[in-house]
Amino acid sequence: MNSKEHILTSVSLGMPPLPPPVLAPRRKTRQIKVGSVGVGSDSPISVQSMTTTPTTDINGTLQQIAELTASGCDIVRVACPSQDDADALPIIAKKSQIPVIADIHFQPKYVFAAIEAGCAAVRVNPGNIRKFDDQVKQIAQAAKDHGTSIRIGVNAGSLEPGIMKKYGKATPEALVESAVWEASLFEEHGFHDFKISVKHNDPVIMVAAYEMLAEQGDWPLHLGVTEAGPAFQGTIKSATAFGALLAKGIGDTIRVSLSAPPVEEIKVGNQILQSLNLRPRKLEIVSCPSCGRAQVDVYKLAEEVTAGLEGMEVPLRVAVMGCVVNGPGEAREADLGVASGNGKGQIFVKGEVIKTVPEDQIVETLIEEAMKIAEQMESDADDTTVQGGPVVTVS
Ligand code: SF4
């Protein structure tokens, strides 16, 4: 798009802006509620994480939930391995600003304790809760009485012995058979407010399992690559697996599992959804990888601009380019950009060069201009008479 065309698309023609394109429509599912958050194809895809504090440490857990909430977490899960943890749930569920899911393994009595504690939902792992199938009727009744939803959380590391005997290992078929069986038990007892996960640490098996499961019912699906690893590996595994599924419209809520602080999981989860236009984009830095033609230190420039604009809530696209080969083109496509060369930076705003500054003033100029655009975007958003909106360019 040349600058004239770009300006044309930016001008309001009295029409509301088109929603940004997505790769596929959402798979149609039944709708459930996790507290105040809807999960299913009628709701935006939500992002979850799990606290790492002992649940008995009520203040520490609530503090971590507050940090997660501030970073864009929609739903939080807490572990409940003991009676002391169960005893902490009523206060945590009451004081948390986002819905709390209790994560239950081994002991069925904590399923009931979590429901009575007012948790928004309970995650049950049918593979390792003792005599789980015998108790589905009572669990379904208690959940129904309290308006609690359930996640049937099948996990490759803890499949029921019968399924393991049949399949030998956690194949996609094994994960799906376990999930569908448990779903049928809940449905037999007239309980439908549940979502399902079939997690595996191998993205290929995980994707195959979710695709198979998506064919067999209209259950909302919670996506996760379990034990995905440290931040770098876990991010790649989750992004590739979630991307493959979300690109087909599969997935209603996601949890990125990283061996890293939970806030990092939320950042990655939000970024995955934003990248696929499944959540409104916020700050986006388009920076070149640099090469032998670069006339500035692109890495440093991109890092300094990113740090200077951290926390920006408006959908601002900023291009940081190292030379004049692709620089002006990308800088024009963005809301704001710089094309560097000869110790100077050409600053672009909405496709037009507004000034040229010496290299040592590039960062401060970009931040200053970004703040002006952000202010304008915010006041436009407040002013209902203003039509149109920021241009989202898809390259
Ligand atoms: S914009 Fe210039 S410096 Fe950056 S990668 Fe492209 S050619 Fe290299």
Side-chain angles (χ1 to χ4, degrees), residues 287-296 298 320-327:
S287 59
C288 81
S290 191
C291 73
R293 294 187 199 92
Q295 293 167 346
V296 288
V298 178
V320 179
M321 305 297 288
C323 79
V324 292
V325 172
N326 292 324

Side-chain angles (χ1 to χ4, degrees), residues 100-123:
V100 172
I101 302 179
D103 192 66
I104 312 295
H105 292 261
F106 306 118
Q107 294 265 19
K109 64 180 177 179
Y110 300 141
V111 175
F112 298 101
I115 290 171
E116 273 155 32
C119 289
V122 178
R123 179 269 169 119

Side-chain angles (χ1 to χ4, degrees), residues 126-281:
N128 68 16
I129 293 183
R130 247 184 299 123
K131 296 194 177 155
F132 182 79
D133 291 0
D134 300 344
Q135 307 191 56
V136 168
K137 185 177 177 190
Q138 288 82 354
I139 292 172
Q141 191 58 54
K144 214 185 266 182
D145 292 346
H146 288 80
T148 314
S149 60
I150 299 277
R151 166 156 70 98
I152 298 174
V154 174
N155 196 302
S158 49
L159 275 173
E160 304 94 299
I163 299 255
M164 282 305 278
K165 199 167 163 207
K166 178 172 174 187
Y167 290 95
K169 59 181 179 176
T171 61
E173 292 78 8
L175 293 164
V176 171
E177 184 172 320
S178 171
V180 171
W181 166 251
E182 299 303 338
S184 73
L185 292 185
F186 276 101
E187 285 168 352
E188 262 174 35
H189 295 296
F191 188 81
H192 301 272
D193 293 336
F194 60 87
K195 56 193 163 85
I196 305 182
S197 61
V198 280
K199 297 190 182 183
H200 197 288
N201 62 40
D202 182 331
V204 174
I205 297 175
M206 177 271 194
V207 170
Y210 277 97
E211 283 179 339
M212 209 179 280
L213 184 61
E215 290 289 314
Q216 298 193 29
D218 69 346
W219 312 290
L221 300 182
H222 163 120
L223 302 188
V225 176
T226 191
E227 294 108 26
F232 176 74
Q233 178 188 289
T235 298
I236 304 283
K237 276 188 171 186
S238 301
T240 48
F242 293 5
L245 291 165
L246 294 169
K248 293 181 176 169
I250 299 172
D252 304 291
T253 183
I254 62 171
R255 192 259 169 123
V256 174
S257 302
L258 300 179
S259 305
V263 163
E264 297 305 311
E265 299 184 345
I266 297 303
K267 284 189 198 164
V268 173
N270 280 323
Q271 192 62 50
I272 291 171
L273 295 182
Q274 286 180 34
S275 298
L276 293 169
N277 282 339
L278 294 169
R279 182 165 276 220
R281 293 185 186 189

Side-chain angles (χ1 to χ4, degrees), residues 12 380-388:
S12 163
D380 286 356
D382 289 344
D383 180 356
T384 49
T385 62
V386 174
Q387 299 285 325

